[in-house]
Amino acid sequence: MRQPVAVEPDQILAETLSQFFKALTNEEKRLASHLQNDRLGLAMRAALNELALHDYLAGRKSKATENDQERSYFMRLGVARLVKIALESHDSFDAPTVTFQRHPGISIPVLRLIDTLGIVEHGRRIAQSVTAGVASISRDGDEFILKLPAKLPDHEYRERVLASAYKDHARRAMSERLRSPLGHQLGEEVSNLFDELVYPFAQHFIGYEAHPTLDDAFFGLAYHEIAISDEYDNFHYKTCFGGIPFQNWKLAAAFILSVAMRHERFAEALVKKNPNIRIEDILTVSVNTTPFVEALRDAINHFGSTFDGHNEITLSQARCIFETLSINRRNTRLLDRPGSPFPPLIQCSDEHVIRPLFGAKDDLMLFVLTSIQFHFPSDYDSAQQQREHAMQLATKRILGNAMPALEFRNNIIIRRTGRKVTDLDLVVIEPSSGEILLCQFKHQDPYGADLAAKKERTSRLKQQTERWIAGVRAWLASIAPQDLRSTLRLSRNVRLHRVRLLILTRHFAHTLQEFARDPDVVCSNWNQLVTATDLVTKAGTPDLDKIVTRLRSIVQPAEEDEFLPEPKAEWEVGDLKFSIVQIDSTGSPA
């Protein structure tokens, strides 16, 4: 008699997860039929209008409620997916651009479609957490059940709070400058210009004239926001992508953001001037592509002239930047994964581009990096290999300013039996104490809300860090003190007291804390190192041991931060049903 074949739990989970992904795709195909019949692109434009209105109203609330946050989350996911499907469903729309007033007959069906697509994308994000090993999935008849663990650690919490504190400080400093007499005078002039230059267009829509004062004021505000983003210094400003320096890509992002900020203020001014016009009808606009590209070129050349080493760009280079920083039918793969950054420009035809305000304000520089990597992969890969040098220079500057007596050694290759083991990006030596810090730099890309990118990048970071620590430890254990002195080029007056390891990342170091259980290993991101150095310096005379000790207290809290418990959530889309539950300490649904 044939014996039943045992099925491994991992195989059951993998099969169930595959079935869930397939069910999500099937429901999306059913929803896509609504967009395939929309030859005008009406649903896409209406969806972008609704997202702009929601974001505008949410931004004017003193505090967002949990329902507000959930609504924003689903709209962001749903609209991004709708844009992708709409563009892929038609080689072109019958009309180059569609402009209309908000009407329940259009907005209500589109909002329902956004919600449903958002639920499908949410299902994919939760499924990604199963792939990452955070959640599990099972099936009860027709319903898929995704289970979250009893405790959900929020490893990113302290890094997120610290980064937010730096940004808040920068924004407060900007606000103080705007409240100065000169800033107040400029503010009054700007307000007057908005009232003077805006006018109704085609009775219900918006038109306005340009003015250099507005251009300068809003570009300055926009560039300030770009400069405090996590991605601003991801590459040296001279690094080229498609033959265009990174500084010009940042200037382009600032121009796009400045246009969005200025347009929003113009919309408010027009509604105040003419209450019969509704702001929801004028927040999202489409413009002719050629004049927009020309304005982009002129802005980069005008504002870029104030930066060292700036070279003017041509119209063809401006067109390259525009094509890269907009979504069109040739690059919709940028929207494949749920949580991908939202585009700031959407080409609805070869002649017209829609400027969604939400895309200009939401993770704009992350979209810039993501799209540059997509369009210029070879340039991007080459540039990634050069970023650790910038971290090396910055680390020497920060620590050297605090402790001028420190000595540094760059790029030391360590060997065992004549073979290369690994390298040390930087060695920090404190001659007076004999403290030595062996540093490895990791300048990885941010991942934003993209869970798939998070898994890929954190897994790679952990693997590389584990190999480096193991290699350095094996080397330290195998050599005599005189060989260590020789390799690190230590002078005779430097005594060997203690050698410690520092893994310094640009962004996320929280995934490395398992390696920092050894008291002689510390893993930190850039903000944490700067903060620790600053705090120790302000408290008195700094030394390397104090900074490392303070750094460890910042990156390794006494208690682990956790997300709040998640209530059970049930979702139904067509024939698909799935629920998300968080188990309790006994393993049962909470």
Side-chain angles (χ1 to χ4, degrees):
M1 181 181 293
R2 180 178 296 176
Q3 297 295 319
V5 178
V7 181
E8 296 293 330
D10 287 348
Q11 183 181 347
I12 295 174
L13 185 144
E15 290 176 356
T16 306
L17 183 60
S18 176
Q19 293 167 2
F20 183 54
F21 272 121
K22 184 177 180 180
L24 290 167
T25 300
N26 289 339
E27 288 305 320
E28 185 175 270
K29 287 180 180 177
R30 181 181 60 80
L31 296 167
S33 62
H34 298 284
L35 299 171
Q36 290 165 353
N37 298 324
D38 178 20
R39 297 204 55 82
L40 290 176
L42 189 68
M44 183 178 80
R45 178 58 184 267
L48 292 169
N49 291 356
E50 293 299 328
L51 179 60
L53 177 61
H54 171 81
D55 183 61
Y56 177 82
L57 296 176
R60 269 128 197 91
K61 288 188 175 183
S62 58
K63 187 177 181 180
T65 65
E66 189 173 328
N67 287 337
D68 292 333
Q69 293 172 345
E70 182 177 283
R71 179 69 181 149
S72 297
Y73 167 77
F74 280 100
M75 285 201 73
R76 184 188 188 281
L77 290 179
V79 174
R81 198 65 181 178
L82 190 151
V83 168
K84 173 180 167 62
I85 296 171
L87 290 177
E88 291 178 346
S89 296
H90 305 279
D91 293 334
S92 64
F93 296 125
D94 289 348
T97 181
V98 183
T99 302
F100 52 88
Q101 288 181 276
R102 189 172 187 251
H103 186 276
I106 298 175
S107 59
I108 291 177
V110 167
L111 284 169
R112 288 173 180 160
L113 185 56
I114 291 170
D115 288 343
T116 310
L117 286 170
I119 292 171
V120 171
E121 286 292 86
H122 179 58
R124 288 195 176 104
R125 294 194 85 229
I126 297 298
Q128 286 177 339
S129 69
V130 176
T131 304
V134 176
S136 63
I137 187 170
S138 60
R139 191 167 185 174
D140 184 5
D142 294 334
E143 182 179 10
F144 292 92
I145 302 171
L146 297 108
K147 293 181 180 179
L148 301 174
K151 291 185 178 181
L152 278 173
D154 186 1
H155 298 299
E156 301 175 34
Y157 175 77
R158 291 176 179 266
E159 293 184 15
R160 189 169 63 244
V161 169
L162 188 56
S164 179
Y166 277 110
K167 292 176 184 178
D168 289 344
H169 175 76
R171 291 186 178 116
R172 284 195 300 271
M174 173 62 79
S175 296
E176 290 174 5
R177 289 196 292 272
L178 294 176
R179 285 194 295 268
S180 68
L182 184 61
H184 182 71
Q185 180 182 349
L186 176 62
E188 286 189 345
E189 183 181 358
V190 166
S191 296
N192 292 334
L193 285 170
F194 276 119
D195 185 59
E196 292 172 13
L197 298 176
V198 71
Y199 57 88
F201 173 75
Q203 188 175 356
H204 295 288
F205 301 104
I206 189 170
Y208 46 79
E209 303 294 340
H211 195 282
T213 297
L214 295 183
D215 294 342
D216 292 347
F218 280 89
F219 189 89
L221 291 172
Y223 196 87
H224 180 264
E225 282 298 308
I226 296 297
I228 64 175
S229 68
D230 292 338
E231 301 81 15
Y232 175 79
D233 60 353
N234 222 51
F235 296 100
H236 189 274
Y237 73 93
K238 289 185 178 180
T239 303
C240 287
F241 303 99
I244 300 169
F246 188 52
Q247 180 61 41
N248 287 340
W249 293 98
K250 293 188 287 188
L251 289 167
F255 170 72
I256 292 170
L257 178 55
S258 72
V259 169
M261 296 167 69
R262 187 181 59 190
H263 176 79
E264 192 173 273
R265 286 286 302 276
F266 266 124
E268 292 174 338
L270 182 59
V271 171
K272 183 178 179 181
K273 196 173 188 179
N274 189 340
N276 293 324
I277 296 177
R278 303 178 304 178
I279 199 162
E280 56 262 40
D281 295 328
I282 57 177
L283 280 175
T284 303
V285 297
S286 56
V287 296
N288 292 329
T289 297
T290 298
F292 182 81
V293 174
E294 291 172 348
L296 175 64
R297 175 201 59 190
D298 294 342
I300 291 174
N301 289 338
H302 172 69
F303 294 108
S305 63
T306 62
F307 291 87
D308 292 337
H310 174 74
N311 294 316
E312 289 196 351
I313 66 168
T314 64
L315 187 60
S316 63
Q317 288 176 317
R319 170 67 73 164
C320 174
I321 293 173
F322 167 78
E323 291 290 340
T324 304
L325 301 189
S326 59
I327 285 292
N328 53 60
R329 291 173 173 84
R330 298 175 294 281
N331 64 5
T332 53
R333 280 188 294 160
L334 284 167
L335 301 178
D336 273 354
R337 300 199 294 208
S340 299
F342 201 91
L345 301 168
I346 298 171
Q347 295 183 45
C348 50
S349 74
D350 291 337
E351 300 84 21
H352 291 81
V353 59
I354 299 172
R355 301 190 322 228
L357 298 189
F358 179 81
K361 296 185 291 183
D362 180 70
D363 284 339
L364 175 55
M365 279 303 297
L366 182 58
F367 182 87
V368 172
L369 289 185
T370 303
S371 193
I372 287 176
Q373 185 176 26
F374 176 85
H375 288 92
F376 309 106
S378 297
D379 289 349
Y380 202 90
D381 290 345
S382 176
Q384 280 182 312
Q385 299 171 15
Q386 304 169 14
R387 295 185 298 188
E388 278 74 17
H389 177 63
M391 291 185 71
Q392 182 188 75
L393 295 176
T395 302
K396 290 166 67 175
R397 184 181 70 251
I398 291 295
L399 295 179
N401 288 344
M403 296 164 286
L406 290 181
E407 295 181 8
F408 301 97
R409 307 286 186 267
N410 301 331
N411 306 320
I412 291 180
I413 296 176
I414 56 177
R415 304 177 185 276
R416 290 182 65 190
T417 62
R419 299 181 63 182
K420 177 181 176 180
V421 176
T422 185
D423 58 351
L424 308 174
D425 291 331
L426 181 69
V427 177
V428 184
I429 304 160
E430 190 171 54
S432 60
S433 65
E435 293 279 352
I436 296 174
L437 202 57
L438 309 181
C439 305
Q440 176 77 353
F441 299 134
K442 295 295 180 185
H443 195 314
Q444 69 288 72
D445 292 321
Y447 45 72
D450 187 342
L451 295 180
K454 176 181 178 179
K455 181 177 184 297
E456 292 169 5
R457 291 169 192 173
T458 55
S459 296
R460 184 167 61 247
L461 176 63
K462 290 174 70 173
Q463 291 169 2
Q464 293 172 347
T465 300
E466 185 175 24
R467 287 197 299 268
W468 184 80
I469 291 176
V472 174
R473 280 178 168 164
W475 172 70
L476 289 172
S478 66
I479 61 171
Q482 60 269 26
D483 294 325
L484 178 62
R485 282 183 171 278
S486 175
T487 302
L488 302 184
R489 303 193 299 276
L490 301 181
S491 58
R492 293 182 178 180
N493 64 320
V494 176
R495 67 188 182 95
L496 289 175
H497 172 59
R498 177 168 46 189
V499 177
R500 289 189 281 199
L501 279 59
L502 169 65
I503 297 89
L504 183 63
T505 72
R506 174 60 186 91
H507 297 296
F508 42 91
H510 56 273
T511 56
L512 304 179
Q513 293 314 310
E514 64 184 82
F515 302 118
R517 293 171 185 153
D518 188 317
D520 289 336
V521 177
V522 61
C523 303
S524 161
N525 73 10
W526 178 252
N527 286 339
Q528 291 167 335
L529 176 66
V530 172
T531 301
T533 304
D534 185 54
L535 291 174
V536 171
T537 303
K538 288 179 178 178
T541 304
D543 61 45
L544 207 53
D545 180 57
K546 290 177 183 176
I547 288 177
V548 172
T549 301
R550 190 58 185 264
L551 186 57
R552 185 180 294 280
S553 71
I554 291 174
V555 301
Q556 291 183 308
E559 295 183 3
E560 188 175 52
D561 300 301
E562 296 178 3
F563 288 104
L564 294 175
E566 289 284 337
K568 182 178 180 179
E570 298 178 314
W571 309 98
E572 187 170 344
V573 180
D575 296 329
L576 171 64
K577 297 179 183 178
F578 67 95
S579 60
I580 302 169
V581 298
Q582 187 169 5
I583 61 176
D584 60 21
S585 57
T586 66
S588 302

